[in-house]
């Protein structure tokens, strides 16, 4: 089979349709940034990576959070700035994040950036740098 023409494999944690809750720390860690600040962090990260940032999920309801999905057990290595909340297995409670399918109706969740073969996760170190720059004030949100 010619791999250049075949579609990339879909990670097992992405549902086939709609959306589903996935347990944090099993397939990924997550960092949540609320509201416009989350959109700004995602925008800056996408600009820096040439729109290949890895998986970023947005919620269209409530506080309109943006979730950055990182490799499992990678987010705890950083001291996230105020406004960015680590959601990982290292916490004292179970946590879940809603994950949309790659197509079809997924409201209220959607992909700001999808995982790819080259970027299966958001780079934790790069996200940390961008989050600090945006949330601490080096970049205007």
């Amino acid at each position: 089979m010619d791999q250049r023409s075949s579609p990339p494999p879909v990670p097992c944690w992405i549902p086939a349709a709609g959306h589903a809750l996935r347990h944090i720390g099993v397939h990924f860690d997550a960092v949540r940034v609320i509201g416009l600040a989350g959109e700004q962090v995602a925008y800056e990260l996408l600009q820096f990576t040439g729109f290949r940032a890895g998986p970023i999920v947005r919620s269209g309801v409530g506080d309109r959070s943006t979730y950055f999905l990182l490799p499992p057990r990678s987010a705890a290595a950083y001291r996230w700035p105020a406004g960015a909340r680590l959601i990982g297995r290292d916490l004292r409670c179970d946590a879940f994040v809603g994950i949309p399918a790659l197509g079809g109706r997924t409201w209220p969740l959607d992909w700001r950036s999808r995982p790819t073969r080259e970027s299966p996760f958001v780079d934790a170190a790069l996200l940390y740098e961008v989050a600090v720059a945006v949330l601490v004030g080096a970049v205007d949100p």
Side-chain angles (χ1 to χ4, degrees):
M1 177 176 10
D2 183 9
Q3 290 194 359
R4 288 176 286 161
S5 63
S6 63
V10 176
C12 65
W13 46 268
I14 296 179
H19 50 78
L21 291 176
R22 297 294 186 234
H23 193 237
I24 303 261
V26 175
H27 299 290
F28 52 80
D29 281 355
V31 172
R32 180 180 74 187
V33 183
I34 296 173
L36 292 176
E39 285 292 324
Q40 185 67 31
V41 171
Y43 174 79
E44 298 294 336
L45 189 63
L46 285 164
Q47 289 290 315
F48 187 82
T49 61
F51 295 90
R52 293 183 202 103
I56 303 171
V57 175
R58 319 184 260 211
S59 173
V61 296
D63 56 16
R64 298 185 184 266
S65 295
T66 303
Y67 296 89
F68 301 86
L69 306 183
L70 287 66
R73 301 186 191 269
S74 65
Y78 300 91
R79 189 167 187 196
W80 298 94
R85 180 171 180 249
L86 162 64
I87 306 171
R89 194 169 198 151
D90 299 336
L91 301 175
R92 295 181 182 190
C93 62
D94 287 336
F96 298 85
V97 168
I99 302 296
L102 293 176
R105 294 183 180 190
T106 63
W107 190 88
L109 302 173
D110 72 334
W111 290 102
R112 183 72 170 90
S113 176
R114 295 175 181 215
T116 64
R117 187 173 306 193
E118 298 79 23
S119 301
F121 298 104
V122 172
D123 181 271
L126 181 57
L127 175 61
Y128 176 77
E129 288 181 35
V130 171
V132 167
V134 170
L135 298 172
V136 176
V139 176
D140 292 327

